Amino acid sequence: MSRIMTGGCQCGSVRYSVVVTDDDAYLCHCRMCQRATGGVFAALKQVPRAAVTWTTRDPDRHASSEIAQRGFCAECGTPLTYEGNASDNMDLTVGSFDDAHRLQPVGHFGVESRHQAWKEPLFLPEKRTRDLPNIVSQWMETRGHVPD
């Protein structure tokens, strides 16, 4: 069953809608994704290019290698896409979806570059944003509430 999902960058200047047919996403551990996102992996949702509509403006793009380009927002820096040059598909960053919680990882790619120390981090201590008084006070001073 297909449905429309929406997303965009942190500042809102680049927005998209996309027709998706499932909730499958994946984690890419390749060095190119690590460097492009600044993380130890990239969480991505593959979709047909034809299923994506840029509703505000197209993302800025950078040729990250000879085989692909990356879409991002030059205003706020949010990574948005991985676009292989020879593919009818593209990948959208899971974190850029408005309802990212709906997407579920179903596999790993580029595991030869996986950082083993980050493989099973679920046992680490956890804190909610609201448990950090200095962050809460800054949000309260600037917005009057703590964003979700």
Side-chain angles (χ1 to χ4, degrees):
M1 182 171 95
S2 64
R3 69 178 184 282
I4 295 175
M5 292 184 75
T6 58
C9 67
Q10 185 175 10
C11 73
S13 72
V14 180
R15 299 280 307 154
Y16 62 82
S17 66
V18 58
V19 177
V20 298
T21 57
D22 58 40
D23 294 329
D24 295 353
Y26 71 98
L27 304 175
C28 184
H29 302 270
C30 81
R31 288 297 292 147
M32 192 165 67
C33 280
Q34 290 171 359
R35 288 190 171 122
T37 64
V40 294
F41 57 80
L44 300 167
K45 168 69 177 153
Q46 189 171 85
V47 297
R49 286 181 196 250
V52 178
T53 301
W54 299 103
T55 58
T56 54
R57 67 174 181 88
D58 284 3
D60 302 280
R61 289 187 169 89
H62 170 71
S64 57
S65 72
E66 299 81 9
I67 66 166
Q69 60 182 346
R70 303 277 175 155
F72 65 99
C73 174
E75 298 293 320
C76 66
T78 302
L80 296 166
T81 72
Y82 168 84
E83 302 171 45
N85 294 342
S87 179
D88 292 333
N89 294 322
M90 65 187 296
D91 297 301
L92 294 167
T93 54
V94 169
S96 70
F97 279 86
D98 294 333
D99 292 325
H101 66 278
R102 294 186 71 159
L103 302 174
Q104 301 294 315
V106 297
H108 297 271
F109 180 79
V111 296
E112 67 280 357
S113 301
R114 180 172 31 207
H115 294 280
Q116 291 303 314
W118 294 85
K119 187 175 179 183
E120 300 280 343
L122 296 178
F123 62 88
L124 297 173
E126 297 180 353
K127 283 190 179 185
R128 297 180 56 83
T129 304
R130 293 180 187 276
D131 296 335
L132 304 170
N134 61 327
I135 299 296
V136 170
S137 66
Q138 290 176 51
W139 279 118
M140 293 305 289
E141 287 173 25
T142 59
R143 283 200 183 171
H145 72 282
V146 179
D148 295 329

